[in-house]
Amino acid sequence: QDVSTDGRHAVVQFTDDFRLDAARRDLTVNAMAADIDGNFYDYYDGLADLHNRRVRFVGDARERIREDYLRILRYFRFFGRIANKNDDFDDETVQVISEQKDGLAAISRERIWLEVQKIIVGCHAVKILHKMKELGLFPEINLKGVQLDFKELSRIHGNGGISEVRPATALAYLISSKTDFGIVRKSWKMSCDEELVGQFVLKHREVLVNPHACLPRVLKHFKDLLVDTPKHCRHKVYLGLRELTLAESNTTIRETIQAETCYHDNTVESGESRCHGDTVESVGLYNVLSTWDVPTCPIRGDEVISALNLRKGPEVQRFYTRAKNKWKESDYLLGKEDLLKHILDLHKETKCS
């Protein structure tokens, strides 16, 4: 049983009285117990609440929240796990939460994120977040002024892959700005991996949802990204790509990347696009890219220096970059001789101009 509490941590006294132990729990569904002989103890009708998919505090909601203000977020987290209807909030409970919300300021930001991450990948996430905003909770959890895209979060919840993605991925769909994501990441003290995943999703998700996207262009985008990423850092790309393809699975990919994806047929002199029947879903975008043998550009910086008789400096980098871009445009087919000839031609043009 609790002897005293400061709104987050309690001084406890151990007891063998199940009723006293149950009285200090947060929700009725968490206040049930059984002893070693199988005797069941349910002093606050937690089993009935579980059957009725109802989320209630033990006893007086105001007292329970004042004992530990984190219970405000736990209420919403368990609502997502238990409630059948996404708007079946208890009016009296949410009123008390609104009155006691200032207490969240005393909760560590790491604990805030631990609860929020379970909310945003859980059931009824969008409705719960709307209710939290309505009750004025966002300023208390460092979301004041942050632009939120509830529609995007709702969309990926509808895709079916939400249960597999990391919470940071879901957060990147909820927060539409890279700057805002960075602010929230720092505030909630998220890990480096969580920041990496979130920023990757924010930067590259438009490639998949662009209505003009087609499979070869999508593959080319990510292949170029892998080619431009140092080998020792590519695991970060694979991590972000896995999260992105999980979030954009099923409905989104079928609808936004045309079922008959376009590809350029080099035999057509007019250069018009033709179509074939591959889809991102059937090909398995992540599987294709994660098993792709990433090629290395056949030309090096020192070879650019020798070929053009240049000194080390930004001019070498410019010519190397243009050579590498030419190689990428060729689908990584051009060899060293072709690229050296290309930069020699470029160098001559530069001198002439």
Side-chain angles (χ1 to χ4, degrees):
Q1 66 181 103
D2 290 348
V3 176
S4 64
T5 180
D6 61 3
R8 178 65 190 99
H9 302 101
V11 176
V12 300
Q13 179 179 317
F14 293 101
T15 177
D16 57 5
D17 187 330
F18 279 103
R19 184 183 291 275
L20 289 176
D21 181 76
R24 65 180 296 272
R25 302 295 169 175
D26 51 3
L27 305 171
T28 59
V29 294
N30 291 333
M32 297 179 284
D35 64 23
I36 197 169
D37 297 319
N39 297 309
F40 179 62
Y41 302 92
D42 182 14
Y43 301 104
Y44 297 97
D45 297 323
L47 188 60
D49 285 341
L50 197 57
H51 285 156
N52 293 319
R53 299 290 180 174
R54 184 170 53 201
V55 184
R56 292 189 305 120
F57 282 103
V58 169
D60 185 271
R62 189 173 282 99
E63 288 184 19
R64 296 291 81 75
I65 290 172
R66 284 175 177 170
E67 289 168 354
D68 182 356
Y69 289 100
L70 188 66
R71 288 172 173 173
I72 290 175
L73 297 182
R74 284 175 59 83
Y75 169 82
F76 289 110
R77 195 236 294 182
F78 277 92
F79 183 91
R81 292 182 63 182
I82 293 172
N84 270 335
K85 298 179 180 178
N86 64 10
D87 59 352
D88 196 17
F89 298 100
D90 179 72
D91 292 337
E92 184 179 346
T93 299
V94 295
Q95 177 60 38
V96 171
I97 286 173
S98 179
E99 294 169 2
Q100 301 296 318
K101 63 180 180 289
D102 292 354
L104 284 169
I107 305 300
S108 72
R109 302 300 91 176
E110 297 97 323
R111 288 295 300 173
I112 295 289
W113 169 231
L114 281 174
E115 292 297 325
V116 170
Q117 62 183 263
K118 295 168 186 173
I119 291 172
I120 60 177
V121 296
C123 297
H124 316 315
V126 174
K127 194 70 176 182
I128 290 171
L129 290 167
H130 272 299
K131 177 59 71 173
M132 290 170 62
K133 182 180 181 181
E134 176 190 318
L135 296 175
L137 268 58
F138 281 2
E140 309 301 330
I141 60 174
N142 293 72
L143 287 179
K144 183 178 181 179
V146 175
Q147 295 296 315
L148 302 178
D149 193 337
F150 293 107
K151 186 177 179 181
E152 274 294 278
L153 182 62
S154 179
R155 182 176 67 80
I156 65 163
H157 267 268
N159 286 342
I162 189 67
S163 62
E164 297 182 67
V165 302
R166 297 181 179 213
T169 302
L171 187 67
Y173 279 89
L174 176 63
I175 299 178
S176 53
S177 158
K178 294 179 186 177
T179 301
D180 283 347
F181 185 91
I183 292 170
V184 173
R185 198 283 305 175
K186 187 175 180 181
S187 167
W188 288 349
K189 299 183 179 179
M190 295 163 62
S191 70
C192 293
D193 271 359
E194 288 170 331
E195 180 182 24
L196 184 155
V197 165
Q199 294 290 4
F200 185 96
V201 170
L202 279 165
K203 184 176 181 180
H204 297 286
R205 70 184 184 192
E206 288 302 318
V207 177
L208 292 181
V209 300
N210 187 326
H212 302 295
C214 60
L215 179 56
R217 292 177 193 145
V218 172
L219 285 170
K220 187 67 167 64
H221 172 87
F222 288 111
K223 283 183 175 181
D224 283 352
L225 179 62
L226 286 166
V227 163
D228 289 334
T229 302
K231 188 174 182 179
H232 68 278
C233 293
R234 284 180 194 149
H235 67 282
K236 299 177 181 179
V237 176
Y238 293 128
L239 173 61
L241 184 61
R242 179 184 180 278
E243 290 296 306
L244 186 60
T245 51
L246 281 173
E248 293 292 353
S249 63
N250 302 328
T251 304
T252 301
I253 288 179
R254 281 202 301 269
E255 291 178 354
T256 62
I257 299 182
Q258 304 156 10
E260 291 188 325
T261 51
C262 301
Y263 72 92
H264 181 70
D265 187 341
N266 292 323
T267 63
V268 181
E269 292 183 4
S270 64
E272 67 184 41
S273 292
R274 296 249 180 123
C275 292
H276 62 81
D278 290 338
T279 67
V280 167
E281 185 181 38
S282 64
V283 171
L285 181 62
Y286 175 75
N287 290 336
V288 169
L289 291 167
S290 63
T291 57
W292 181 53
D293 187 11
V294 182
T296 302
C297 184
I299 192 172
R300 302 190 309 270
D302 62 312
E303 291 170 327
V304 174
I305 292 173
S306 298
L308 303 182
N309 195 26
L310 296 174
R311 292 184 177 182
K312 289 182 180 180
E315 191 175 15
V316 175
Q317 182 61 44
R318 282 196 296 272
F319 278 107
Y320 174 78
T321 299
R322 294 181 73 174
K324 187 174 183 179
N325 288 340
K326 185 73 174 178
W327 172 68
K328 290 192 291 186
E329 288 168 10
S330 74
D331 281 334
Y332 326 108
L333 297 176
L334 289 179
K336 183 187 296 186
E337 291 183 5
D338 297 314
L339 296 177
L340 289 174
K341 181 179 182 302
H342 176 64
I343 60 171
L344 283 168
D345 291 342
L346 289 174
H347 192 242
K348 288 178 185 177
E349 290 174 12
T350 303
K351 281 189 171 181
C352 291
S353 61

